[in-house]
Amino acid sequence: MTSKRIYAAWAGIHFFLITVICLRGIFALVATDATILPSALNTSARSGEVVLASVLGKDLAASNPWRLGIATYLHAAGSQAGYGFFAPNIPAYYKLILELYYEDGHIEYDVPHVQGGAAALRLDSLLDRLADPLYEPLREVTVKMLVLSVWQEHSDVKKIRAIFGSVNPPNISDFEHGKRESFQPLFSYDFSLRNEENQSTTQ
Amino acid sequence: MKRLRAWGNDLMGFLFPLETDRWLTVLRIGLGLQVAVYALFLKNDWHYLFAGTGKGLVSRELGEAITSLDSPFIPKLGWLVALGGHIGVGEEMVLSVAWAGLLCAGCFLLLGLFCRPAAIIAWFLHLCAAESGGLLAYGADNFTTMGLFYLMLAPLPDRYSLDQWLVNTEPKDPQLLGFWQRVLQLHMCIVYFTGGLAKCLGSGWWDGSNLWRALTRPPFNIISPDILIRFKYVLPVLGISICLLEVGYIFFIWMKKTRLVWLIGILGMHIAIGLTMEMYLFALVMIVLNLAAFGVDSGVLFLRHRQRVRAVFPKQLSQ
């Protein structure tokens, strides 16, 4: 009976943490006005999200054992994120186009690529994250690494301009009227590869 | 006080039902297949995805640094690379061994050979790859880690494993088997309820525009938009059906009369996601988790097994 109670207690804590993670995800969607719910609820949702974050120890110091313990456990259990895939709406699709400037003056275009379809799905997942304001501090360094991966295949390139933008597919009625997807640049970076200096511009 | 005790007993009865190990067989074989397919799908890109700075697509160290912001104790491939460095083994070799280890663990799980060590190794290596991938990870990784986490803790080996044939061990406690299946069942209910609720909060699932966007958005644009447009009146119905299937899962999957219908609906949805969006790994892991959680009881798999519980565990049930 004692071992049963231990199992039951573990299940209680386990599902409590998972429920908190999931509710936090839902509150975050409402707080950012991404749902069909009235905007009047945004503030309450934001407060709810903060409370749930504190349950997970997110307001504690980064080195706090309680916070580290919860985070490690949730990652180990594969439950560190909620389950709002493709929700509340389908996110935009993002593309990184690379303009390769060669020594002789000619320009070629390329994109970061992988061999298999499963890895391509992961590359798209990476590009989606780059558009997220949460990942803004990592954007430049990640783009730089993606550029570097392409540069290794084109060692005679003098400069690479990386243009990151969203691809806006037409809705059903626009498609019926002949409209096709359009590319909207969001920001670009110029990488001078010889001296490893780069300049960035944001649109 | 009496009522509280009765409520506690009911809860314990719910958490510890008597169950055979057939659901565990489904989970073991399914996740073994998932891990093996995961390794094979990434075979050509493995080093490119997980190499250090300047050698691959994005630096493995970057993904690991992001993971370490959450906690430095989360397993990652960098640990193995550092360990290899201490004994004079290079990064490339360590990554190759990790890939081979994952594939072998998947195959061992499929066969049911050294079930527990194989489940632990598969969980650990998959978690390392998912966490080191960081920015490259997506939903299928979380669900695979989740499934392997439960498999690793569940009472292995099951009766259909090679382990059981080689070393004839005592049958596992049916209540413990029931507990771990219950945990998986409850987790699936939370997954679909919150996923469905989040979808219901988006306008695009009610008018079909989200399905259109999902199916025309690269890299999921397998079906030509010209074909999709012919079914434009069906898209809102499908969008609402997905919302109802997911939100209703937590209620209707428990009822005997609706369980089979709901399970077939959910499995159909995942098969369609796999085929129309080429998300094979995501589809496979969701099908495996659903079949292990509810497929055995619903009659989709192992029809009539419920009647055999007593025949399999007469000793335990008589206590």
Side-chain angles (χ1 to χ4, degrees):
Chain A
M1 193 62 189
T2 312
S3 68
K4 267 186 176 182
R5 282 187 182 146
I6 294 170
Y7 278 112
W10 168 81
I13 297 166
H14 180 72
F15 286 116
F16 172 73
L17 290 174
I18 292 170
T19 307
V20 169
I21 289 274
C22 292
L23 283 178
R24 194 182 163 210
I26 302 262
F27 281 156
L29 293 176
V30 179
T32 51
D33 211 9
T35 68
I36 52 175
L37 294 178
S39 333
L41 293 172
N42 294 6
T43 319
S44 313
R46 174 68 62 203
S47 307
E49 193 198 348
V50 170
V51 170
L52 293 174
S54 66
V55 171
L56 298 170
K58 297 286 181 190
D59 57 344
L60 300 172
S63 59
N64 184 285
W66 180 251
R67 178 180 172 160
L68 293 177
I70 292 175
T72 307
Y73 175 77
L74 287 171
H75 277 265
S79 302
Q80 74 277 21
Y83 303 106
F85 307 117
F86 284 158
N89 289 309
I90 307 295
Y93 164 61
Y94 298 93
K95 217 169 180 176
L96 183 67
I97 298 171
L98 305 177
E99 279 181 355
L100 314 180
Y101 293 81
Y102 285 83
E103 291 276 6
D104 61 6
H106 85 278
I107 302 171
E108 281 180 14
Y109 290 88
D110 204 349
V111 289
H113 45 257
V114 287
Q115 289 186 44
L121 206 61
R122 290 167 190 280
L123 180 56
D124 283 303
S125 178
L126 167 69
L127 295 179
D128 289 350
R129 284 196 173 101
L130 285 185
D132 190 333
L134 199 70
Y135 287 89
E136 202 273 330
L138 295 170
R139 207 174 271 162
E140 186 172 332
V141 70
T142 310
V143 171
K144 192 175 184 176
M145 284 170 184
L146 289 169
V147 166
L148 193 62
S149 71
V150 172
W151 170 71
Q152 284 166 340
E153 296 165 17
H154 307 268
S155 52
D156 49 341
V157 163
K158 190 179 156 193
K159 189 181 95 173
I160 292 183
R161 172 169 294 160
I163 305 159
F164 184 87
S166 64
V167 180
N168 305 310
N171 61 32
I172 298 176
S173 88
D174 285 346
F175 184 83
E176 284 178 314
H177 289 95
K179 195 178 167 189
R180 295 296 176 263
E181 65 178 29
S182 58
F183 179 73
Q184 187 188 355
L186 296 174
F187 52 84
S188 67
Y189 297 98
D190 284 343
F191 293 97
S192 176
L193 297 158
R194 286 288 160 86
N195 53 13
E196 292 193 357
E197 283 176 5
N198 71 290
Q199 296 175 318
S200 65
T201 52
T202 309
Q203 288 184 354
Chain B
M1 192 66 187
K2 234 178 194 179
R3 186 173 286 181
L4 201 66
R5 191 170 289 167
W7 186 80
N9 287 338
D10 285 351
L11 180 68
M12 291 306 248
F14 172 75
L15 281 176
F16 294 91
L18 299 170
E19 194 52 68
T20 67
D21 57 2
R22 293 188 186 217
W23 72 271
L24 193 55
T25 306
V26 174
L27 189 67
R28 174 181 57 77
I29 293 174
L31 288 178
L33 186 65
Q34 171 80 12
V35 169
V37 171
Y38 167 87
L40 291 173
F41 273 13
L42 290 181
K43 185 187 168 211
N44 294 330
D45 293 296
W46 184 262
H47 287 83
Y48 194 53
L49 291 180
F50 298 117
T53 308
K55 294 182 223 161
L57 182 67
V58 281
S59 164
R60 186 193 67 246
E61 285 96 339
L62 179 66
E64 292 179 351
I66 296 168
T67 300
S68 294
L69 289 177
D70 266 355
S71 166
F73 305 114
I74 299 164
K76 41 191 97 71
L77 287 172
W79 288 5
L80 302 179
V81 172
L83 190 69
H86 283 301
I87 55 171
V89 180
E91 181 193 62
E92 205 164 319
M93 178 57 82
V94 171
L95 290 178
S96 298
V97 171
W99 179 83
L102 202 53
L103 182 64
C104 288
C107 294
F108 276 41
L109 282 176
L110 261 174
L111 297 170
L113 197 59
F114 305 117
C115 290
R116 179 87 61 196
I120 294 170
I121 290 169
W123 166 79
F124 181 77
L125 290 176
H126 183 272
L127 182 61
C128 284
E131 297 297 343
S132 294
L135 295 165
L136 299 161
Y138 70 109
D141 292 322
N142 285 352
F143 284 114
T144 308
T145 303
M146 175 196 125
L148 290 168
F149 179 75
Y150 291 142
L151 181 69
M152 174 179 78
L153 298 173
L156 289 165
D158 53 274
R159 273 180 300 146
Y160 300 93
S161 63
L162 274 179
D163 281 349
Q164 189 65 34
W165 286 19
L166 296 172
V167 185
N168 197 12
T169 55
E170 280 280 298
K172 303 293 176 192
D173 180 354
Q175 286 194 324
L176 205 53
L177 283 162
F179 171 77
W180 286 106
Q181 191 190 27
R182 198 61 101 209
V183 168
L184 182 61
Q185 289 173 334
L186 289 171
H187 201 145
M188 296 309 287
C189 287
I190 294 174
V191 166
Y192 285 114
F193 183 72
T194 52
L197 186 64
K199 284 188 181 74
C200 288
L201 295 176
S203 58
W205 289 100
W206 298 101
D207 60 13
S209 60
N210 270 352
L211 266 182
W212 165 263
R213 278 175 73 93
L215 294 169
T216 54
R217 174 193 193 275
F220 311 127
N221 52 340
I222 308 305
I223 303 172
S224 161
D226 296 307
I227 296 173
L228 272 181
I229 206 87
R230 289 183 214 158
F231 301 97
K232 68 176 181 179
Y233 297 111
V234 183
L235 295 180
V237 179
L238 285 175
I240 294 168
S241 302
I242 289 171
C243 289
L244 292 179
L245 262 178
E246 293 198 4
V247 171
Y249 188 93
I250 196 168
F251 308 107
F252 296 104
I253 204 73
W254 296 103
M255 298 178 196
K256 271 188 179 172
K257 283 183 180 172
T258 51
R259 178 174 288 186
L260 184 61
V261 175
W262 228 260
L263 187 63
I264 289 172
I266 284 286
L267 293 179
M269 180 182 83
H270 287 300
I271 291 169
I273 288 173
L275 295 177
T276 61
M277 297 168 82
E278 287 192 339
M279 295 179 80
Y280 302 123
L281 283 174
F282 182 74
L284 179 60
V285 75
M286 295 314 290
I287 290 167
V288 167
L289 294 175
N290 270 292
L291 285 178
F294 292 104
V296 177
D297 283 346
S298 66
V300 172
L301 291 170
F302 305 125
L303 205 65
R304 294 200 305 273
H305 93 285
R306 296 287 287 177
Q307 289 89 326
R308 293 189 208 142
V309 173
R310 286 187 178 276
V312 175
F313 301 111
K315 198 175 154 190
Q316 284 91 334
L317 293 180
S318 62
Q319 284 171 353

